[in-house]
Amino acid sequence: MTEVALPRHLLGIAGLDRAAIVELLSLAASFSEVAERPIPKVPALRGKTVATVFFEPSTRTRLSFESAARRLSADTMTFTAATSSVTKGESLRDTVETIEAMGVDALVVRHRAAGAPALVARWVTASVVNAGDGAHEHPTQALLDCYTILEALAPPGAELPGGGDCSGLSIGIVGDVAHSRVARSCALAFEALGAAVTLVGPRTLLPPSLEGWPVAVASDLDAVLGELDVVYLLRLQTERMRQARLPSLEEYRERFGLTEGRARRLRPGALVLHPGPMNRGVEIDASVASEHATLVTRQVRNGVPTRMAVLFRLLGGAR
Amino acid sequence: MSGTERRAAREDGRVFVARAAVMDAADVRRALVRIAHEILERNHGTADLVLVGLQSGGVPLAERLAEAIAAIDGTPVPLGRLDVAFYRDDIPLRPVRAESVTSMPVELTDRVVVLVDDVLFTGRTVRAALDALADHGRARAVQLAVMVDRGHRELPIRPDYVGKNLPTRRDELVEVSEKGVVIGDLVAR
């Protein structure tokens, strides 16, 4: 395995090259095996402390990180803004410095403002993992999605599914790209592994500028649906409705939802992913979501080994 | 030399230069057949036996040992492949890499496990392997087979089956491959 220097922090997929991503996915494969054992836990990070610091609500991401830390035998601390001194007006800097003073080795940060984890990384000596910042990035989601796609397409028993190669795959990321940190991280990661990425959505929900995005763009899902090997549905953030970017949820479903009709027109063997939580009946029909063809449960399951890989990589070795 | 040391050596730009051949391919083959006989003799056959090769150097030896045992006894022995990266005690000191995914074909509870590695040196890899095995069940007994015991133990660990006892200097390296066993040094490029 080639040596790849991963920086002390994981702030985004931007800045990771193909080799760094593949290395993390290989580690995730090792940790997937750990999860299947009678005792699904290793002593790798004994004595380390991982704090999840969430200024935005989340269940699955926070639980997934905490579970990953515990399966590496690290201790965990949980900080949620709603029950903290932030409600008394404490600044971000004071908050993270206070948490770090309690002795933590990694801060897993989610914040509504893009760039907040990068700021935190400048203030603290601990490692920082971006668990979602504004509409910027959500790198561990992209990594677990890469893993899920490779695993689904590879023959069983392959060590790193598919060798980490997505060349020749056509992946469509559908929906509210403009407000999605998942879309950005996924587009970068899929492209780094060799896939061709198409963003699909109404013009009002695509970013105003796509400079630097290694992607194609389409505003008609039906025109590209038959060419996609992977359909990645984004959550429609219904609060955007108020900003008049969409005429109605029903019209969105008509044009961009994975309806039963569209599901029948998917390529044979096409994969359907969704980062959750799903709006059933909007971006995906309830019946399609329940079908075995969607990989939503696998995505959640793969979140833990993927985050174990990230924490192990950042916290192993001398500082 | 463990995989970790091999990689650490490459990282600082040094290369392995062989100085002397210690065993040739035929020697290694004969040692494997002898060890296969010893394992069968000591355990009175293959009942409950599981071979577990340590990633990465121990795996090909474990495979050959399984073939040798099957050739003698006529019964196949389950073969596991164990990666001990996440159990190493030097994780806080240097970046530790996983060699490969672990695969364990059977639960180890009440089995007799023969751990197989290429070179026994400080004993730290075997220490990590014992911890890792415990997470796959409570083996009735664990035995250790190595092709080369080169001394310099740092832990109270000894092998049950040895291909060759090889006195070495601490800074020398021993490499085991299909072609045999060579001793050499790390040399700056």
Side-chain angles (χ1 to χ4, degrees):
Chain A
M1 194 180 296
T2 49
E3 291 297 326
V4 182
L6 193 75
R8 190 151 56 93
H9 310 295
L10 178 64
L11 300 175
I13 297 295
L16 294 185
D17 59 9
R18 187 189 132 80
I21 294 172
V22 168
E23 201 210 351
L24 286 170
L25 298 178
S26 311
L27 257 180
S30 287
F31 286 123
S32 287
E33 182 276 324
V34 170
E36 287 159 19
R37 296 182 191 170
I39 301 174
K41 187 164 175 149
V42 293
L45 295 184
R46 261 187 320 168
K48 303 281 186 188
T49 302
V50 175
T52 53
V53 186
F54 278 54
F55 295 92
E56 259 192 355
S58 153
T59 42
R60 72 185 72 202
T61 304
R62 189 170 53 77
L63 288 175
S64 181
F65 268 109
E66 288 174 359
S67 173
R70 290 199 195 103
R71 286 184 171 196
L72 290 164
S73 300
D75 295 310
T76 56
M77 294 201 306
T78 306
F79 169 94
T80 42
T83 56
S84 75
S85 298
V86 170
T87 55
K88 300 177 195 164
E90 189 174 55
S91 75
L92 175 62
R93 181 164 191 163
D94 287 340
T95 302
V96 295
E97 284 180 350
T98 303
I99 294 167
E100 196 192 24
M102 293 174 199
V104 303
D105 301 285
L107 292 160
V108 177
V109 180
R110 168 167 291 190
H111 200 283
R112 68 190 168 283
L119 267 181
V120 172
R122 278 202 257 154
W123 296 330
V124 299
T125 54
S127 289
V128 175
V129 181
N130 181 0
D133 60 333
H136 177 226
E137 282 232 43
H138 190 358
T140 56
Q141 177 72 43
L143 291 169
L144 74 89
D145 291 330
C146 289
Y147 188 86
T148 304
I149 291 169
L150 290 165
E151 178 191 53
L153 295 175
E159 284 230 327
L160 170 58
D165 191 11
C166 286
S167 316
L169 276 192
S170 177
I171 304 181
I173 300 178
V174 183
D176 187 359
V177 177
H179 301 98
S180 175
R181 51 196 173 214
V182 174
R184 180 189 299 266
S185 292
C186 280
L188 292 170
F190 295 158
E191 195 272 341
L193 295 183
V197 179
T198 306
L199 303 179
V200 189
R203 289 300 324 179
T204 49
L205 292 179
L206 290 175
S209 163
L210 284 164
E211 219 180 290
W213 287 61
V215 294
V217 178
S219 49
D220 182 357
L221 178 58
D222 290 310
V224 295
L225 190 66
E227 295 154 26
L228 299 176
D229 302 297
V230 179
V231 179
Y232 195 106
L233 301 167
L234 298 169
R235 186 174 74 91
L236 186 69
Q237 308 190 15
T238 46
E239 55 272 24
R240 311 295 173 206
M241 292 293 300
R242 284 193 294 274
Q243 299 163 6
R245 286 172 187 268
L246 281 175
S248 74
L249 290 179
E250 185 49 36
E251 185 169 332
Y252 178 86
R253 174 180 172 271
E254 280 300 313
R255 291 188 54 206
F256 297 101
L258 188 61
T259 56
E260 280 185 43
R262 286 203 179 91
R264 276 194 296 273
R265 280 186 281 123
L266 287 171
R267 265 192 175 181
L271 308 176
V272 177
L273 284 81
H274 190 297
M278 285 187 280
N279 296 311
R280 286 171 191 256
V282 183
E283 64 261 9
I284 185 165
D285 278 10
S287 56
V288 179
S290 313
E291 238 178 72
H292 63 96
T294 71
L295 294 171
V296 177
T297 318
R298 289 289 335 169
Q299 286 173 278
V300 175
R301 187 174 318 155
N302 289 336
V304 176
T306 306
R307 290 174 174 121
M308 288 172 82
V310 168
L311 292 174
F312 180 76
R313 219 30 211 90
L314 295 180
L315 295 182
R319 285 276 168 259
Chain B
M1 177 167 62
S2 74
T4 315
E5 285 159 335
R6 233 177 323 241
R7 273 190 311 275
R10 278 190 218 124
E11 267 162 62
D12 65 18
R14 294 181 295 166
V15 289
F16 176 74
V17 176
R19 187 155 29 77
V22 183
M23 297 171 85
D24 63 19
D27 293 331
V28 170
R29 192 177 59 243
R30 281 189 286 268
L32 279 170
V33 172
R34 171 175 54 79
I35 291 172
H37 279 287
E38 287 175 356
I39 290 171
L40 287 168
E41 184 182 10
R42 171 142 163 207
N43 296 295
H44 310 288
T46 55
D48 298 334
L49 208 60
V50 184
L51 294 183
V52 175
L54 296 186
Q55 302 279 17
S56 54
V59 168
L61 288 174
E63 286 165 356
R64 293 177 66 186
L65 208 44
E67 284 167 24
I69 288 173
I72 299 161
D73 197 73
T75 35
V77 182
L79 179 64
R81 296 169 180 82
L82 187 67
D83 186 285
V84 304
F86 309 133
Y87 296 81
R88 296 196 65 91
D89 60 6
D90 52 1
I91 288 171
L93 305 178
R94 58 181 165 193
V96 168
R97 298 279 182 280
E99 298 272 355
S100 190
V101 179
T102 290
S103 69
M104 205 56 74
V106 290
E107 239 241 85
L108 298 183
T109 299
D110 293 333
R111 297 282 196 150
V112 175
V113 175
V114 179
L115 277 179
V116 184
D117 206 359
D118 51 356
V119 180
L120 179 59
F121 184 22
T122 62
R124 289 182 188 267
T125 301
V126 174
R127 202 277 318 152
L130 291 171
D131 279 356
L133 281 183
D135 285 353
H136 292 271
R138 182 183 182 278
R140 191 168 86 231
V142 181
Q143 300 164 3
L144 176 61
V146 297
M147 185 48 63
V148 174
D149 180 355
R150 58 166 296 190
H152 304 285
R153 213 80 75 241
E154 294 169 1
L155 295 169
I157 282 167
R158 58 155 186 77
D160 299 273
Y161 314 100
V162 183
K164 187 176 182 61
N165 284 296
L166 184 63
T168 58
R169 285 198 325 267
R170 221 173 191 300
D171 59 342
E172 285 173 315
L173 293 177
V174 176
E175 205 149 65
V176 177
S177 71
E178 271 175 35
K179 290 178 225 146
V181 177
V182 289
I183 189 164
D185 304 280
L186 278 183
V187 176
R189 259 185 295 215

